[in-house]
Amino acid sequence: VAGARARAAMRVLLLAAALRHASRTAHGLSLATQHRRRVLRGVLRQELEGQHRARVNLEAELERRRDVQDVDDGEAHKKEYAKAVKRAAAVPRRLVEVTRRGEQLEALLERSRGAT
């Protein structure tokens, strides 16, 4: 999971760099450059949709975690319950990260619209 987050963060940084470069060269664009920008905006939209899905899933997980009950049902159950509690504690932090990343993507997408 951490590796996927790192890859997504790196992808966002690369997209931001590409947008900064694209915004400096907005005049007299070739067809190839216009195509690259459209592709870049498409990638940004896909990433933004992925962040939205992640946010919805985390919010649903947060709701489900509220319903978890600790029933004394043996050692295996205690371990599973402890894991569930630990995952539930991480959900709010992950939700903040996903929200922040979504806001960054929205800003990049808006900048890409203004660059053309």
Side-chain angles (χ1 to χ4, degrees), residues 2-80:
R5 282 189 224 143
R7 284 191 300 276
M10 180 58 72
R11 196 172 5 191
V12 169
L13 291 174
L14 290 173
L15 290 171
L19 281 174
R20 279 194 298 274
H21 174 71
S23 67
R24 283 184 242 136
T25 60
H27 300 293
L29 298 176
S30 68
L31 290 177
T33 301
Q34 291 175 16
H35 175 72
R36 280 192 296 265
R37 285 192 178 176
R38 280 193 300 273
V39 169
L40 182 60
R41 281 193 297 270
V43 170
L44 283 171
R45 276 191 222 90
Q46 286 178 338
E47 286 292 318
L48 194 54
E49 289 169 6
Q51 292 302 310
H52 176 71
R53 282 190 304 274
R55 181 183 175 93
V56 167
N57 291 337
L58 285 169
E59 288 171 347
E61 187 175 337
L62 195 57
E63 280 299 314
R64 280 193 308 273
R65 297 296 176 215
R66 289 185 184 142
D67 299 335
V68 173
Q69 296 178 2
D70 186 15
V71 179
D72 191 11
D73 198 19
E75 191 63 31
H77 177 75
K78 286 181 183 179
K79 286 182 181 180
E80 283 300 315

